[in-house]
């Protein structure tokens, strides 16, 4: 039974990692749009973020899976889950980046501009590495949340752990055991991730003491 | 390129508004190649804003910034400079800040090499050689592998000067480079600046160091309330100021 349920882990991992990676990438654009000099762009980005955060992930998942199908765009359950969680992650991670950007202070950006660095270099070599250090703990926390949310994909038919545990329960009636196994696997994933994030953070803190 | 005794950097009729507040009101200033110009005045006068307009870190509401034969005019429907204008200006104008603004995630050496490689396109070895030349000059050769967080304020400011010089600028802007430092440490920075001036660097310096303005500066401008109220020979301005606001300011600064 453990093995049967654990086979669903692959989908949990695929959904979590791909959505996190895509969300982390698009989140950069969200953060840039949120701090753009144009008021219109800032307002649009704000609406995007607020809209995503105000609606439960399950509802977004259904909108993407059932809603888009109705409009003629038929996505598989897995595709729907990845699209939904990527978009949601882009909003949350974008806000996390923006917080880091605000804490960076204008001096760094001015210094980079004064030596003529391009906007790309400013972002890639000055801003990103510095805010990565401050935001990585929040990013990992979000990633753990995302992993837990990926269980929602079972509702549209992705055969991940929760889905399988449900199958087991239907056929054997052993609901407590099967879902305890799912819980245990999530626990076994979350705890090391959290510890790893803390270690990385401490290591980087030691490397360049900022005064 | 500029020749000796030709106006190198000039600001003409610079006005800057923040919202409805006018922070700079029709400020004009020229600097000749090889000269050192000081800008003094009370806090809040607009000195930093003016200096930042000279390399367009701050975009003037209207006015012209001219470097060599290259002029950038803003206002009259034009509210931003083009990428090319910014690049040209910043390639020729270096800036040193009151708060150093070194990149804390890069070592001293990386701080000095980054723009050499990414902006001037020097290769790693060329950039390194130039960086060590400059570090040697500011007396910090042995700090090349340190992170800025492990350097004292005075050391950080010297690295910042080296970082700026690494791009071989035609003009250097200094915004109160010693204000965040203890007086003895500030004196070391002033010594470095004095040396630069003697080697013929064109410099525009916002400072509260009257001694520096007087001994090193070729000209001083007194800024009060977003306007230049008095300009001239530093000795003249400091011993016989012609404007009441200058007198008040000097009394406040020198009286301390
Ligand atoms: N980004 C800004 N937004 C609004 N007001 C500003 C900004 N920067 C500076 N000011 C205002 O402009 C005036 C001049 O500031 P500043 O140029 O820093 O003066 P100084 O360097 O002479 O002390 C001050 O009143 C300051 O509050
Ligand atoms: Mg100032």
């Amino acid at each position: 039974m453990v093995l049967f349920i654990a086979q669903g882990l692959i989908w949990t991992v695929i959904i979590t990692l791909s959505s996190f990676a895509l969300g982390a990438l698009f989140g950069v654009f969200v953060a840039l749009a949120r701090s753009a000099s144009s008021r219109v762009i800032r307002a649009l980005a704000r609406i995007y973020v607020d809209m995503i955060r105000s609606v439960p992930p399950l509802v977004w998942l259904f909108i993407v899976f059932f809603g888009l199908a109705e409009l003629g765009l038929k996505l598989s359950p897995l595709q729907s889950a990845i699209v939904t969680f990527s978009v949601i992650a882009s909003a949350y991670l974008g806000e996390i980046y923006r917080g880091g950007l605000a804490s960076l202070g204008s001096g760094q950006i001015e210094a980079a501009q004064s030596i003529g660095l391009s906007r790309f270099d400013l972002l890639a070599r000055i801003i990103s590495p510095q805010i990565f250090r401050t935001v990585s703990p929040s990013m990992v926390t979000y990633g753990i949340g995302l992993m837990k949310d990926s269980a929602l994909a079972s509702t549209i038919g992705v055969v991940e752990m929760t889905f399988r545990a449900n199958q087991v329960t239907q056929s054997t009636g052993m609901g407590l055991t099967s879902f305890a196994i799912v819980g245990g696997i999530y626990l076994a994933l979350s705890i090391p991730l959290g510890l790893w994030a803390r270690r990385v953070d401490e290591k980087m803190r030691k490397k360049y003491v900022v005064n | 390129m500029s020749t000796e005794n030709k106006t190198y950097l000039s600001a003409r009729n610079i006005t800057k508004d923040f919202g409805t507040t006018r922070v700079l009101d029709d400020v004009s200033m020229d600097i000749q190649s090889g000269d050192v110009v000081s800008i003094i005045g009370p806090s809040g006068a607009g000195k930093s804003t003016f200096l930042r307009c000279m390399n367009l870190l701050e975009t003037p509401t209207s006015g012209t910034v001219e470097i060599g034969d290259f002029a950038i005019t803003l206002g009259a429907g034009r509210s931003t400079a083009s990428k090319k204008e910014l690049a040209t200006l910043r390639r020729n104008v270096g800036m040193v800040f009151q708060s150093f603004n070194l990149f804390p995630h890069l070592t001293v050496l990386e701080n000095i090499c980054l723009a050499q490689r990414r902006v001037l396109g020097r290769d790693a070895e060329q950039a390194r050689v130039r960086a060590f030349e400059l570090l040697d000059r500011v007396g910090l050769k042995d700090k090349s592998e340190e992170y800025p967080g492990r350097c004292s304020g005075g050391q950080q400011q010297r690295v910042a000067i080296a970082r700026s010089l690494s791009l071989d600028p035609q003009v250097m802007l200094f915004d109160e480079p010693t204000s965040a430092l203890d007086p003895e440490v500030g004196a070391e920075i002033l010594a470095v600046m004095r040396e630069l001036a003697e080697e013929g660097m064109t410099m525009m310096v916002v400072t509260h160091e009257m001694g520096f303005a007087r001994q090193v500066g070729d000209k001083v401008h007194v800024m009060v309330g977003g306007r230049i109220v008095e300009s001239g020979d530093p000795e003249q301005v400091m011993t016989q100021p012609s404007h009441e606001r200058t007198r008040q300011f000097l009394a406040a600064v020198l009286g301390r």
Side-chain angles (χ1 to χ4, degrees):
Chain A
M1 181 162 52
V2 175
L3 210 61
F4 178 77
I5 291 173
Q7 273 169 8
L9 183 60
I10 181 77
W11 301 115
T12 302
V13 170
I14 287 176
I15 293 172
T16 306
L17 287 185
S18 49
S19 305
F20 188 80
L22 289 170
L25 185 66
F26 293 129
V28 174
F29 298 106
V30 174
L32 289 178
R34 284 281 271 134
S35 2
S37 50
S38 152
R39 202 178 290 177
V40 180
I41 295 179
R42 277 206 312 267
L44 287 174
R46 175 85 200 253
I47 292 170
Y48 174 84
V49 168
D50 284 350
M51 213 171 74
I52 288 170
R53 295 200 301 188
S54 311
V55 175
L58 184 62
V59 174
W60 279 125
L61 189 64
F62 285 176
I63 288 175
V64 170
F65 185 61
F66 299 114
L68 291 185
E70 193 185 325
L71 296 176
L73 183 63
K74 187 101 184 68
L75 295 179
S76 74
L78 179 67
Q79 287 168 338
S80 301
I82 291 176
V83 168
T84 307
F85 291 123
S86 300
V87 170
I88 294 175
S90 74
Y92 282 93
L93 291 173
E95 287 299 282
I96 291 176
Y97 296 157
R98 196 176 63 93
L101 192 60
S103 72
L104 186 60
S106 59
Q108 289 291 305
I109 294 168
E110 287 177 357
Q113 288 174 335
S114 80
I115 55 174
L117 288 186
S118 67
R119 286 169 75 98
F120 176 79
D121 280 345
L122 170 64
L123 189 64
R125 292 171 186 264
I126 306 300
I127 295 178
S128 302
Q130 288 191 60
I131 71 171
F132 180 71
R133 203 190 59 137
T134 44
V135 303
S136 55
S138 323
M139 284 178 77
V140 174
T141 306
Y142 181 73
I144 292 172
L146 181 63
M147 184 174 73
K148 292 185 292 185
D149 279 354
S150 73
L152 293 172
S154 64
T155 59
I156 57 168
V158 177
V159 197
E160 47 75 76
M161 295 189 290
T162 311
F163 188 93
R164 283 166 176 265
N166 200 25
Q167 280 182 327
V168 172
T169 309
Q170 302 292 332
S171 58
T172 65
M174 296 169 68
L176 180 61
T177 319
S178 54
F179 283 105
I181 290 169
V182 176
I185 295 176
Y186 274 114
L187 208 63
L189 289 172
S190 303
I191 291 176
L193 266 176
L195 285 176
W196 172 75
R198 204 175 311 158
R199 265 238 334 258
V200 171
D201 183 48
E202 270 165 17
K203 220 159 117 187
M204 283 198 279
R205 242 173 245 287
K206 255 186 227 142
K207 193 165 154 198
Y208 28 82
V209 211
V210 182
N211 51 8
Chain B
M1 278 277 96
S2 71
T3 47
E4 283 296 311
N5 295 325
K6 189 182 161 200
T7 296
Y8 192 69
L9 182 66
S10 91
R12 285 204 304 274
N13 311 107
I14 300 284
T15 295
K16 176 69 185 177
D17 298 333
F18 283 116
T20 55
T21 318
R22 178 144 297 186
V23 172
L24 294 175
D25 190 8
D26 198 24
V27 178
S28 295
M29 193 180 292
D30 285 337
I31 183 164
Q32 322 285 323
S33 225
D35 275 4
V36 176
V37 162
S38 311
I39 303 169
I40 62 174
S43 157
K47 306 180 298 295
S48 297
T49 306
F50 176 73
L51 207 63
R52 291 151 49 80
C53 282
M54 299 308 293
N55 66 351
L56 296 181
L57 279 184
E58 208 73 78
T59 311
T61 305
S62 66
T64 301
V65 174
E66 196 172 338
I67 181 157
D69 299 325
F70 187 81
I72 303 167
T73 301
L74 293 148
R78 215 168 160 253
S79 60
T80 48
S82 73
K83 241 182 193 172
K84 182 178 169 282
E85 288 174 329
L86 290 176
T88 307
L89 189 64
R90 289 172 184 166
R91 184 140 7 97
N92 291 294
V93 180
M95 186 164 195
V96 173
F97 303 86
Q98 180 175 344
S99 50
F100 329 134
N101 296 348
L102 292 179
F103 306 127
H105 62 302
L106 301 178
T107 63
V108 163
L109 186 64
E110 288 165 344
N111 263 278
I112 304 175
C113 288
L114 180 64
Q116 291 191 68
R117 302 205 55 195
R118 302 295 300 174
V119 179
L120 299 185
R122 288 180 185 154
D123 67 32
E125 190 51 33
Q126 289 171 321
R128 207 183 131 81
V129 167
R130 180 76 179 123
F132 271 104
E133 246 170 58
L134 290 164
L135 279 175
D136 192 24
R137 174 167 175 178
V138 297
L140 291 173
K141 223 170 166 175
D142 54 331
K143 289 281 177 190
S144 63
E145 297 305 322
E146 285 288 10
Y147 283 92
R150 293 193 188 276
C151 298
S152 70
Q155 290 170 338
Q156 288 188 54
Q157 191 62 301
R158 281 185 278 160
V159 173
I161 292 174
R163 176 176 68 180
S164 192
L165 288 174
S166 73
L167 301 173
D168 304 322
Q170 303 291 320
V171 183
M172 289 276 282
L173 310 175
F174 291 86
D175 190 2
E176 300 198 30
T178 60
S179 296
L181 302 169
D182 292 337
E184 320 86 81
V185 181
E188 291 170 18
I189 301 298
L190 292 173
V192 172
M193 290 168 62
R194 185 185 294 252
E195 218 173 275
L196 267 178
E198 278 161 8
E199 288 165 20
M201 177 58 78
T202 311
M203 295 163 51
M204 198 177 261
V205 186
V206 171
T207 187
H208 282 146
E209 303 284 346
M210 295 304 131
F212 180 86
R214 198 162 163 174
Q215 291 154 25
V216 184
D218 295 293
K219 197 166 183 185
V220 65
H221 298 276
V222 185
M223 190 179 270
V224 180
R227 290 171 159 276
I228 307 267
V229 296
E230 183 163 355
S231 302
D233 173 61
E235 196 65 38
Q236 176 85 29
V237 170
M238 287 188 208
T239 51
Q240 297 159 305
S242 62
H243 198 286
E244 180 53 30
R245 300 298 296 270
T246 312
R247 242 168 269 152
Q248 288 169 2
F249 171 69
L250 288 174
V253 174
L254 301 173
R256 269 195 301 170

